[in-house]
Each structure stands twice: as C-alpha cells, then as structure tokens.
Amino acid sequence: MTYLENSKQYTGSDLENIFFRPMLTGESAQDLGVRVLYNMPQPTHVQLWDGQRNILQKFTSAGWAGGKAATKYEKTVNLNRVKAELGFSAANYFSMVYEKVSSLVNTHMDDLSGTELEQAETALFKQALAENIRVTMWIGDTSAASGYNTFDGLLKRINGLVDDDGVYNFAYQAAALEDPAYAVELFDKLWAGADPRIPGLKADDRLAYFVSSDIYRLYEKYLDAKGADAAYADAMNGRRTLAYHGIPVVDVRLGSYLGATSFRQSFVMLTDRRNLVLAVNTADMPGNEVRMWYNPDEMENRQRAVFMAGTQILDEALISFAYKQ
C-alpha cells in the first residue's frame, strides 16, 4: 500500500469534539495568549458589566437604595466564513502519515488502518490549521488582495486605533534599539501611560506585554548583561519565558509573516489577555466541516476545513502601544 485512499469527514459533534475543541481549549488556547471563544452563538456577543460603582449604602431598616440598574456594555464579534485547504502528492502524504504512525507505541505497521491512521492524518491537518488561525488572528486583513485575508486580525484593529489616536501610543526610532536597556524603557513608558485600570488588573495575573521578536531578543540581551550567576546560566541554557516586574513578555512570533504586510514591523503592546478575543464557530452555519479525501485524477490527498472565525478588542482604552517609526 503506497497511497491512503479512505476518505474522512467530521461534521456536527465530531467536528467539535474530535477536531476543533481540543485545538481551541485548555493548553492549546493558552498558547494563543488571548481569550478564545469557541462555538458561542453567531453573531458572538460579549457582555461587559459595570462593576466599578460604589454599591455600599448606609443601612436602613426599610426601602431600596440601590439606585439605577448596573450598566451593560456589549461588544459584537463579527465572524467571517473561512475555508482552509491543503493538497499533498499521494506518495508524500503517505510518507508523512506513515512517519507519524510509526512514532506511536503498539502500532501494527503492516495494517495502516483504523484509529491510529485517522489520528495521524487529523494531527497533520490540525498542526497546519492551528498555525494559520494563530497568524491570521494577529495579521489578518480582509482588504488585502492576498495572504492572510480571511478575517481581520488584532493588529489591523490596533493600528486603526493608533492612527486615530484612540489609544495611548508613541513611536520609537530604530537607533534606540541599539541599546538593550531600551526594552525596559519601553515597558516602563507603556506602564506609566496606560489606563489607570491597568495597575489594578495586575493582581488578576492576566496582563501581558505582547512584543515583536526584535523587542523580545533585545530584552534577552538586557538580561544577559546582568552580572549574576543566574543571568550567566540563562544565557547558556536559554529562558523558557520572560517577564518584567511579574508581567509576562510574550513574543507574538510573527517575524516570518510581518514583512509581507503593511503593519508595523516592530512593536510592544501592554494589555489584559482577556481584552483580546478570538472567536471560532463550527456549529451555526450549514456546511461547516472537516474533510480529508483522495483525488485519483490528480493522485493527490486533499484536506479541507470550513468554519467561521473573527477577532475583537473588548475595551480599546486598555491598550497601550509603542511602535518603530
């Protein structure tokens, strides 16, 4: 057997439980670094309640002094229907799937069929799809003629706010990045200029500095220069994560993608992770599916996913943004 010819299709609950939900919940969702809403009703509405009012009252034996009802703010996440497709030479596809199956324990390689084969094919497609969702979540631009243009990403929304001075922002020069200590200056300046609610959110442990890879590397060089045994050990062994004053510094890992876009190539953003939303829906539109099949005319294995996705910023005031001029 040199080709994989059995077709597979996920729809309904299988589409959710086998394919998408494991990819968009738990640790997988945490890896995205933002708030993920999966299979919320379409269109997706996020309710924000005003919880900052003074609700304590002097005690009286009777009567209601609660005042007006709590204020509700609502944000809508508009979802676009998208399609993901991959095609492989049948021989190459067989080799890739065979390699994945061979790494499994207690697998009978003389009988490439059944659950192990399906898991290997599904894992192959999931890996590519998850990366494309992550990248589009950041750099998606529906106005672009090509590239990641299936739904608008977070950077497009943020850049629009920056251009209109709708958020606290400032620009820095390329020359400033020659000094590793400038990374810390950027963090401090964003913190000082941020919305007054930001310091209060630090206790929730959800704040983060989202940075382009050049700023992440600059901060690493700053830490490497510290004259301590720990800094030497980290320079030798690397660091799994970075933080500044307890706030994670997250590399958005877009270096190989940003160059083909009109977005700013170097940036730092301070916000709450819950403020950035990715919504994915596989339930509310007829025809949503994942399908894998063999095309004998082209001798090609093909994979297709149809679903809906979109992004939103819930509270623009909680964004602080710095970018290279």
Side-chain angles (χ1 to χ4, degrees):
M1 180 181 183
T2 56
Y3 300 142
L4 299 176
E5 301 182 12
N6 293 332
S7 62
K8 300 165 188 64
Q9 182 181 18
Y10 298 133
T11 58
S13 60
D14 286 344
L15 178 64
E16 175 180 346
N17 296 327
I18 297 177
F19 198 89
F20 274 96
R21 185 171 292 279
M23 186 171 61
L24 295 170
T25 57
E27 292 184 0
S28 298
Q30 293 175 9
D31 290 341
L32 289 171
V34 303
R35 181 177 179 181
V36 178
L37 303 179
Y38 179 60
N39 268 1
M40 296 283 286
Q42 159 64 15
T44 299
H45 299 284
V46 182
Q47 315 296 336
L48 307 172
W49 295 89
D50 175 18
Q52 303 301 316
R53 295 183 298 118
N54 180 12
I55 62 173
L56 294 178
Q57 307 286 340
K58 289 185 177 180
F59 179 78
T60 58
S61 59
W64 171 259
K68 64 179 183 179
T71 302
K72 182 185 77 171
Y73 303 94
E74 183 176 272
K75 271 296 185 75
T76 300
V77 186
N78 293 316
L79 305 185
N80 291 13
R81 199 172 191 195
V82 301
K83 180 173 66 172
E85 294 180 329
L86 273 176
F88 301 90
S89 159
N92 292 339
Y93 186 75
F94 177 85
S95 298
M96 288 187 293
V97 173
Y98 189 93
E99 180 183 355
K100 282 188 171 293
V101 174
S102 66
S103 64
L104 301 175
V105 179
N106 298 326
T107 299
H108 299 287
M109 300 308 296
D110 294 333
D111 181 20
L112 273 183
S113 61
T115 304
E116 292 85 359
L117 177 61
E118 184 172 333
Q119 289 176 343
E121 290 190 78
T122 300
L124 186 67
F125 193 23
K126 273 185 181 181
Q127 183 178 0
L129 184 57
E131 176 64 2
N132 276 260
I133 291 176
R134 183 191 74 82
V135 173
T136 308
M137 175 188 75
W138 284 107
I139 67 170
D141 184 359
T142 54
S143 64
S146 61
Y148 296 87
N149 60 358
T150 51
F151 60 92
D152 286 333
L154 297 169
L155 285 183
K156 181 176 181 179
R157 300 181 185 281
I158 292 167
N159 283 2
L161 294 171
V162 170
D163 293 339
D164 295 336
D165 281 332
V167 297
Y168 172 72
N169 69 92
F170 63 90
Y172 53 87
Q173 303 298 320
L177 301 183
E178 296 175 3
D179 180 9
Y182 190 67
V184 171
E185 185 176 334
L186 285 173
F187 299 154
D188 285 340
K189 193 171 180 180
L190 286 175
W191 177 266
D195 187 279
R197 291 172 293 169
I198 285 288
L201 292 172
K202 186 177 180 181
D204 293 343
D205 198 27
R206 300 305 297 273
L207 292 180
Y209 290 101
F210 294 94
V211 304
S212 52
S213 296
D214 61 328
I215 301 299
Y216 193 88
R217 175 59 182 150
L218 193 69
Y219 185 45
E220 281 190 313
K221 291 173 66 177
Y222 168 79
L223 296 176
D224 289 345
K226 294 295 183 182
D229 292 342
Y232 174 80
D234 286 340
M236 290 288 292
N237 303 322
R239 303 173 179 84
R240 297 192 62 182
T241 59
L242 296 183
Y244 181 66
H245 289 174
I247 301 175
V249 178
V250 180
D251 184 357
V252 294
R253 297 183 288 115
L254 298 173
S256 60
Y257 304 103
L258 279 172
T261 72
S262 59
F263 299 132
R264 296 172 173 94
Q265 307 293 296
S266 175
F267 60 86
V268 185
M269 176 176 62
L270 172 62
T271 191
D272 190 296
R273 293 177 186 265
R274 297 166 295 189
N275 194 35
L276 307 178
V277 170
L278 166 69
V280 176
N281 188 294
T282 61
D284 289 348
M285 182 70 70
N288 287 353
E289 66 171 1
V290 168
R291 183 187 297 269
M292 293 175 279
W293 74 99
Y294 174 69
N295 184 333
D297 295 335
E298 301 290 338
M299 298 182 68
E300 186 176 69
N301 284 90
R302 295 177 175 178
Q303 299 173 324
R304 175 188 292 144
V306 180
F307 57 100
M308 293 183 290
T311 64
Q312 185 58 275
I313 297 172
L314 299 184
D315 190 342
E316 292 85 354
L318 293 180
I319 298 285
S320 294
F321 194 77
Y323 58 93
K324 186 172 70 176
Q325 190 71 43

